[in-house]
Amino acid sequence: MRYHIKHTNPQKQRSNCLIVGIWAGQSLSPAAEQLDQASDGYLTRLLKRGDLTGDLGQTLLLQEMPKIAAERVLLVGCGKAEEFNAAAYRKMSMKVIAALKQTGAKEAVNYLTDLVVNDQDLHWKIRQAIQITSEALYVFDQFKSNKTNGKIVLNEMIFNVTDSRSIKQADRAVVEANAIVSGMQLTKNLGNLPANVCTPTYLAKQAQDLAKKYKSITAKILEKKDMEKMGMGALLAVARGSHQPPKLIVLHYNGAAKNKKPIALVGKGVTFDSGGISLKPAAAMEEMKFDMCGAATVLGTLLAMAELKLPINVVGVIPATENLPGGNATKPGDIVTTMSGQTVEIINTDAEGRLILADALTYTEKFQPEVVIDIATLTGAVIIALGTPASGLMSNDSHLVDALKKAGDASSDRVWQLPLWDDYQEQIDSNVADISNVGVGGGKVITAACFLARFTKKLHWAHLDVAGTAFLGGKDKQATGRPVPLLVQYLLDLAK
Ligand code: BES
Ligand code: MN
Ligand code: ZN
């Protein structure tokens, strides 16, 4: 899908389809007004007949409007102007692409950029429209005999800007959106792959492919013997039950001078989480192929960095392993020594994410990062707490919290902060080791983060629990590509 910016008159624009807005109460947007005048009041008469009230998300497709050069005009209800906020614009954009997909249009010119959205500018409108359009056109049919991909004919969308001075800002929005979309697509594709394909070795290969494709990216893969040398007892404990070798994937995006401290992104890469000896129930266990979505987010975000050529340094660290039961698997009650030297009693082998992240976070210290953000499908509890709208955010640095909240709001890929008070720490004390890998009592999202906090004392660190946001479960199970938009926005803000 290609996106462009133009400054044109709707009535004269040759196109397969123009997209214009109608407000509730049937008042016309600027582009609709122009079409109405050029067609001697055609739209006014049509609206009078009551075929479109202008309620949010309504659509009406017109063919060969009189005196209009375009083949089709898609009218879109925008609701009440005073209630037209970010959420309304996003909802409308979803309806637009759903309607457009039903037509034979190969190309469309979008005039919805002329609608005033409360608190949002042109740059935001274009970026959101592109992300939503690409989202709606995404299909994962690699394993289907009947491909749906070729059946979607739409391949170009042009956004109109009302004055030529806005073109530069609009072009920048297209560049950013394209990079975010490409990153999300990689993240989704990897997340959607079944675990028999997407193994730790496969993820490592993906990292190497990224490094081959982009000069600004380098990849290094650490093997089991390297982990043994570094004393990564927690990561190795999770990998023990599997025949697939674990990998520690290290990526560098080099966009700034070598001596500039990097931002570190650490992604949970459990390519399948059966729970291990603390075996999960069978229902929905197939969704645990998504337990590497944090890792996929790191890869997608680095791809976006390379596309945007941002003047910063980013290091990505991905501990990748399966979590399976096996004759050699870790048993409840086993005690292991982490790379940090702290010992952990593994009470429940299903709390494996925090184990592999503990060693990955300790390893990350060597890069002396400015900040570290880990991304992990860490707890089922965060789905209960926050559902799908927001990722859980916990951090030991209030500036980082503010920056991530701001980036989340700006990108509509939101986070919600949960406390990381010391009061919770005693819940993960063990009577035989330094730490237990599960917390007693409530607050399971927080006690999981408390565990990670014991390994990030030397770091400015934030933890994103994305179990509710990185994928959707159920019949239409699929990866969402989140939180790539959030992280790219955070890095864009930093690079400014
Ligand atoms: N990968 C799971 C968390 C998860 C659950 C992600 C559902 C997405 C959907 C994680 O490894 C896990 O099993 N967590 C346990 C921790 C518990 C044993 C303390 C959980 O949340 O139940
Ligand atoms: Mn688990
Ligand atoms: Zn897991």
Side-chain angles (χ1 to χ4, degrees):
M1 186 79 181
R2 285 165 297 137
Y3 300 97
H4 302 284
I5 302 298
K6 259 194 197 168
H7 168 52
T8 60
N9 276 333
Q11 63 270 34
K12 291 192 188 135
Q13 177 64 44
R14 290 189 185 286
S15 167
N16 290 165
C17 189
L18 309 183
I19 309 167
V20 302
I22 307 287
W23 296 109
Q26 306 184 323
S27 75
L28 305 177
S29 65
E33 185 70 56
Q34 275 174 277
L35 291 178
D36 193 46
Q37 277 172 20
S39 63
D40 306 324
Y42 181 89
L43 287 183
T44 306
R45 290 196 299 281
L46 176 146
L47 291 173
K48 251 194 201 136
R49 276 179 232 131
D51 288 8
L52 190 83
T53 58
D55 287 349
L56 183 65
Q58 266 188 339
T59 57
L60 183 65
L61 186 69
L62 310 177
Q63 302 277 357
E64 298 182 19
M65 222 180 123
K67 301 193 183 169
I68 302 301
E71 293 170 1
R72 303 175 187 78
V73 174
L74 181 65
L75 302 181
V76 187
C78 310
K80 293 192 185 125
E82 63 275 18
E83 289 170 8
F84 200 59
N85 57 15
Y89 179 86
R90 283 172 54 84
K91 187 172 167 195
M92 175 200 71
S93 301
M94 288 175 207
K95 299 285 186 184
V96 167
I97 183 62
L100 213 50
K101 260 164 83 173
Q102 308 294 316
T103 73
K106 294 187 189 66
E107 150 283 329
V109 186
N110 189 323
Y111 287 87
L112 301 172
T113 43
D114 70 7
L115 304 170
V116 178
V117 184
N118 301 342
D119 303 325
Q120 305 295 349
D121 61 6
L122 177 71
H123 176 272
W124 181 91
K125 284 187 273 189
I126 292 175
R127 236 181 68 180
Q128 286 298 324
I130 294 177
Q131 281 175 228
I132 287 165
T133 304
S134 297
E135 182 97 355
L137 297 175
Y138 176 85
V139 278
F140 181 72
D141 59 2
Q142 199 177 319
F143 298 91
K144 290 267 197 190
S145 309
N146 260 331
K147 307 283 182 206
T148 44
N149 223 342
K151 291 179 191 153
I152 299 169
V153 291
L154 186 73
N155 62 32
E156 185 178 14
M157 188 177 281
I158 295 152
F159 292 94
N160 183 66
V161 292
T162 42
D163 65 283
S164 50
R165 279 163 305 161
S166 310
I167 288 182
K168 209 174 144 213
Q169 185 196 22
D171 278 336
R172 180 65 195 163
V174 174
V175 169
E176 288 178 9
N178 279 335
I180 293 169
V181 165
S182 302
M184 288 173 84
Q185 265 161 6
L186 174 63
T187 302
K188 284 193 222 183
N189 285 340
L190 292 173
N192 287 332
L193 284 174
N196 61 331
V197 174
C198 187
T199 59
T201 304
Y202 185 92
L203 281 181
K205 172 79 169 35
Q206 292 298 309
Q208 286 167 327
D209 286 354
L210 265 190
K212 249 180 237 153
K213 185 159 174 220
Y214 296 101
K215 257 178 119 169
S216 55
I217 294 181
T218 59
K220 187 172 140 189
I221 313 300
L222 301 179
E223 306 290 339
K224 189 176 163 206
K225 59 177 192 314
D226 303 309
M227 300 169 201
E228 282 162 355
K229 257 185 234 149
M230 290 185 289
M232 296 184 159
L235 173 53
L236 288 163
V238 176
R240 286 180 71 94
S242 165
H243 291 297
Q244 291 290 338
K247 306 277 172 181
L248 185 69
I249 303 164
V250 184
L251 291 139
H252 288 273
Y253 164 72
N254 308 300
K258 264 216 167 86
N259 60 4
K260 188 152 187 229
K261 285 185 171 183
I263 306 299
L265 302 177
V266 179
K268 174 178 173 182
V270 174
T271 58
F272 190 77
D273 180 12
S274 72
I277 296 296
S278 312
L279 194 65
K280 284 183 183 294
M285 203 206 270
E286 73 280 4
E287 289 175 12
M288 286 301 113
K289 72 172 184 178
F290 294 116
D291 215 17
M292 37 55 71
C293 281
T297 296
V298 173
L299 292 166
T301 303
L302 263 84
L303 184 151
M305 289 303 104
E307 288 286 333
L308 287 170
K309 302 190 178 72
L310 287 193
I312 52 171
N313 293 328
V314 183
V315 45
V317 177
I318 297 171
T321 177
E322 289 185 331
N323 183 26
L324 293 183
N328 208 28
T330 292
K331 304 163 292 296
D334 286 1
I335 297 174
V336 297
T337 304
T338 60
M339 185 181 177
S340 73
Q342 299 175 92
T343 58
V344 177
E345 182 188 12
I346 301 176
I347 297 274
N348 188 323
T349 63
D350 197 12
E352 85 296 340
R354 64 198 78 182
L355 294 172
I356 69 170
L357 289 171
D359 281 338
L361 287 164
T362 303
Y363 177 79
T364 306
E365 281 176 13
K366 78 181 228 158
F367 302 112
Q368 296 181 312
E370 187 84 39
V371 302
V372 182
I373 303 168
D374 80 73
I375 308 104
T377 47
L378 203 64
T379 66
V382 80
I383 310 175
I384 294 166
L386 299 176
T388 58
S391 302
L393 166 66
M394 285 139 278
S395 174
N396 62 12
D397 182 309
S398 63
H399 295 288
L400 186 51
V401 167
D402 291 343
L404 286 168
K405 278 187 189 165
K406 184 171 158 261
D409 292 342
S411 62
S412 298
D413 184 2
R414 290 187 290 189
V415 296
W416 191 259
Q417 189 187 8
L418 294 158
L420 198 63
W421 300 318
D422 281 342
D423 310 52
Y424 293 97
Q425 279 291 348
E426 64 188 39
Q427 290 177 243
I428 56 167
D429 286 340
S430 160
N431 70 336
V432 286
D434 298 336
I435 321 173
S436 157
N437 84 322
V438 288
V440 289
K444 289 278 193 282
V445 187
I446 297 167
T447 51
C450 283
F451 184 94
L452 301 178
R454 297 219 192 177
F455 298 86
T456 54
K457 291 196 180 118
K458 295 179 193 151
L459 301 165
H460 297 281
W461 157 76
H463 160 59
L464 294 171
D465 193 334
V466 297
T469 52
F471 70 95
L472 302 171
K475 188 169 117 329
D476 298 317
K477 62 179 184 299
Q478 58 173 315
T480 62
R482 291 177 70 185
V484 170
L486 162 74
L487 291 172
V488 174
Q489 186 62 49
Y490 168 75
L491 294 167
L492 275 168
D493 292 346
L494 265 190
K496 257 183 219 147

